[in-house]
Amino acid sequence: MSVAIDSSDAAIPSGDDVPAEPVPAPAVAPDAGPAAPANEETAEPGDTANMWTPPTTDTPDATAAAPEGASDSASDSPSGDFWTPPTEVPFAESSEVDAEAEAEDDPAPGDVPEAITRDAHEFGVYARTGGWAFALKVARSVRPGGQSAGESVKVSARKFAELADCSPDRVMRFYKAWDSAADDGLVPQFEALEPGTDVELPDADVWLSYYVSRNSATSVRGQAITAAAESEGIRPTKALEVAENPTALRAAILADPGTAEAARKALMDRLDEDPVLRTGMARDVVRTDDLKKAVAEETKTGGQLEYVRRIAEEGQVKTPAGQKIEASPELRQEAERHLSLIDELDEDEEAGEWAREAYDTVRTLVAETVEKDPELRVQERRAKFYSSLQKATKAFEELTFDDVAAEEIDDIVEDDMLQRLEELQSAIAMCITALQSAQKKD
């Protein structure tokens, strides 16, 4: 750093002056010019070999670098004739010093261009008030509804939008935000404002409570979406944006499994209160083969899980023949073990395979329990026979020609029909003979 001083008296110290302690110079890279000697900091008065030599001041660069009052610094300093290096703070150590230095280089307030002053003022207003600053421009320029052009110097929202090069809808969103705030007493009514009027505005944080960025939010549908979004803890504008872009929602569902899962859960939550949606989804399931198969599979899985759960929770089990018996402690323990494994599955994990394994395991244990108990085994055989007999009875009751005319029987009869009936008759005869023999023994 080059500093120019008046060197006429600086090189010859006065005999009456008391030498001052030298001030160490900071580690600042020097500008181009004569380098200071290495032992400058330890120079004693009268030591011309180690004396600081002022740079030449007859060059344009040196003259430009000299600060005001540099020529008087030597005589005013306590050391008298010695140059004292100015105290500086390195750039890396203090950004505040740099900011102050930059501020000193700024022009005086009266010299700042009007455009910059206006921008800074508007920035400060917006920083404090947010959207209220723009809502005020609308409120004091757009005439309220019901006023004719002759009653006010204000313009219509459409004309204001044309001047602003934006849509009338956007202007009206600011207009309605101001209107709502005026009803709450936060801002003056439209009638109290004239073009160019400035009023005290609410804080920026309050703006979002009144401003609605989309027209759909003011409709019944929009209000419902807004309420649902608030209950979910999200910004209503996000939900409204999705509702207004069903194609974008469809694309997200098709492309992203996470979005599809969220949509599925939302639809399921809505089924109870929306019978139209419920009917539509049932119709889609019936008409889609893959969905029908999936529904059948899930129904089967659900039945198997319910069978195992009843054993674990109620302590009762249904045998293959349909009779209910008390579950043994071992059977109940096994059912509980399988259920605990299924309950630990994540929500996105399929429980079908686990349910089938649990069902097959407990069914095997039930069959073994029946076979080990002679009395229970007899009851099971009896229940099974009765079940088959009931099914056969119902089927035979339908084997009639009551609704067929006599002349049509020849057209209906096939050769294998008679053969099958004869085989059935033989099987029934054998059953009757076995039962008759058992009765005679009793």
Side-chain angles (χ1 to χ4, degrees), residues 55-355:
T56 305
T57 59
D58 55 358
T59 61
D61 293 340
T63 304
E68 296 181 3
S71 60
D72 299 332
S73 60
S75 60
D76 295 339
S77 63
S79 58
D81 301 327
F82 288 102
W83 173 80
T84 303
T87 302
E88 297 182 3
V89 181
F91 176 80
E93 296 181 6
S94 175
S95 59
E96 295 181 359
V97 173
D98 295 338
E100 292 176 0
E102 291 179 2
E104 291 177 359
D105 296 335
D106 286 340
D111 298 334
V112 177
E114 182 181 353
I116 296 178
T117 302
R118 184 173 59 252
D119 285 347
H121 174 72
E122 292 179 357
F123 178 84
V125 171
Y126 185 78
R128 295 189 303 273
T129 64
W132 293 115
F134 296 105
L136 173 61
K137 297 179 185 297
V138 173
R140 69 191 183 187
S141 302
V142 175
R143 60 175 176 263
Q147 277 192 356
S148 62
E151 298 179 36
S152 173
V153 296
K154 297 182 180 180
V155 298
S156 66
R158 186 173 300 278
K159 181 62 177 178
F160 188 87
E162 180 182 337
L163 296 172
D165 194 19
C166 67
S167 67
D169 289 340
R170 180 179 295 274
V171 172
M172 288 306 298
R173 288 199 288 272
F174 282 86
Y175 181 95
K176 291 175 181 178
W178 187 276
D179 191 23
S180 298
D183 290 340
D184 292 344
L186 288 179
V187 294
Q189 296 289 340
F190 294 103
E191 292 76 8
L193 298 174
E194 294 294 334
T197 303
D198 282 327
V199 297
E200 185 175 352
L201 298 174
D203 292 337
D205 296 340
V206 188
W207 171 247
L208 291 178
S209 302
Y210 291 93
Y211 178 73
V212 178
S213 62
R214 298 182 180 275
N215 285 335
S216 60
T218 60
S219 64
V220 175
R221 173 174 174 266
Q223 291 174 358
I225 294 173
T226 299
E230 290 175 348
S231 66
E232 294 289 338
I234 63 174
R235 291 176 57 187
T237 51
K238 293 290 185 182
L240 290 167
E241 183 178 358
V242 172
E244 291 179 4
N245 294 275
T247 305
L249 175 61
R250 170 183 168 82
I253 292 174
L254 291 175
D256 179 41
T259 305
E261 178 64 15
R264 182 191 68 80
K265 291 180 179 179
L267 288 173
M268 293 303 298
D269 292 341
R270 186 179 173 82
L271 283 180
D272 291 341
E273 60 184 32
D274 193 339
V276 176
L277 175 63
R278 185 166 59 245
T279 302
M281 290 188 67
R283 188 185 301 116
D284 291 340
V285 169
V286 171
R287 293 176 180 177
T288 307
D289 290 338
D290 290 342
L291 282 178
K292 284 195 297 185
K293 292 178 182 178
V295 169
E297 187 67 25
E298 286 299 319
T299 301
K300 182 179 178 181
T301 299
Q304 292 173 342
L305 278 176
E306 183 64 20
Y307 180 82
V308 178
R309 198 174 299 280
R310 283 183 176 274
I311 296 175
E313 295 178 355
E314 300 179 5
Q316 288 189 336
V317 59
K318 199 172 185 180
T319 66
Q323 61 176 335
K324 287 185 177 181
I325 61 174
E326 291 294 326
S328 64
E330 294 79 12
L331 176 60
R332 192 168 183 175
Q333 211 169 32
E334 187 66 15
E336 290 174 350
R337 185 180 71 83
H338 280 279
L339 283 177
S340 65
L341 293 174
I342 294 174
D343 292 339
E344 290 178 1
L345 294 176
D346 293 335
E347 191 173 341
D348 57 345
E349 290 187 85
E350 294 291 338
E353 183 178 352
W354 296 83

